[in-house]
Amino acid sequence: MSIFSKKKKNSNEEPLQDIVNEPIIEEFEKFTEEYSYSSILQTKEYAEVMKNQGNTPIFVGLYDNELCAVSLILISKIKGYKYAYAPRGFLMDYTNKKQLEAMTKEIKNIG
């Protein structure tokens, strides 16, 4: 299994401007459009809203031969601590414990 992610490279870059023209956002959007339990809180538009509120959006996905899970992760700093939040959770099959563990582990490494 492997994971993709796209996040802000340095403080001078706008994260979503990097993402919009890259295949990662196309894969993310395609997956969310086809996923039966998708949420407006897992879209690039919501990421833009949250970015304007001071969060850093990161788009992640997990491959297990094919893309099997995606999530928007919002990173925020509050009182010196960094918090990562997946609005409405990951978009994935939660009954697949192996994929759930891999997704969670990799996201912990990104933050």
Side-chain angles (χ1 to χ4, degrees):
M1 283 183 261
S2 63
I3 196 159
F4 70 74
S5 70
K6 181 63 181 172
K7 62 181 178 178
K8 192 174 180 177
K9 294 178 185 171
N10 67 49
S11 60
N12 296 328
E13 291 184 56
E14 295 295 320
L16 288 177
Q17 292 185 353
D18 281 349
I19 293 166
V20 170
N21 294 323
E22 294 194 22
I24 185 173
I25 194 64
E26 293 170 14
E27 291 179 72
F28 181 90
E29 287 182 312
K30 185 175 187 293
F31 189 94
T32 59
E33 287 170 8
E34 295 172 0
Y35 191 74
S36 57
Y37 298 108
S38 62
S39 166
I40 193 166
L41 302 179
Q42 286 284 339
T43 62
K44 71 176 185 181
E45 292 81 10
Y46 185 70
E48 183 69 31
V49 168
M50 296 309 290
K51 183 186 84 147
N52 291 334
Q53 293 182 13
N55 295 282
T56 301
I58 301 172
F59 295 92
V60 297
L62 182 71
Y63 285 93
D64 191 3
N65 295 321
E66 64 182 3
L67 189 59
C68 59
V70 299
S71 186
L72 165 63
I73 304 295
L74 300 172
I75 307 289
S76 60
K77 286 188 176 181
I78 302 171
K79 296 185 179 183
Y81 292 96
K82 190 186 277 188
Y83 294 91
Y85 171 64
R88 305 293 293 177
F90 310 144
L91 301 181
M92 67 179 302
D93 175 6
Y94 281 90
T95 64
N96 188 323
K97 188 176 179 180
K98 180 180 168 188
Q99 290 176 356
L100 178 58
E101 288 174 352
M103 184 79 159
T104 304
K105 179 183 174 188
E106 293 299 328
I107 289 173
K108 286 179 182 179
N109 292 333
I110 291 171

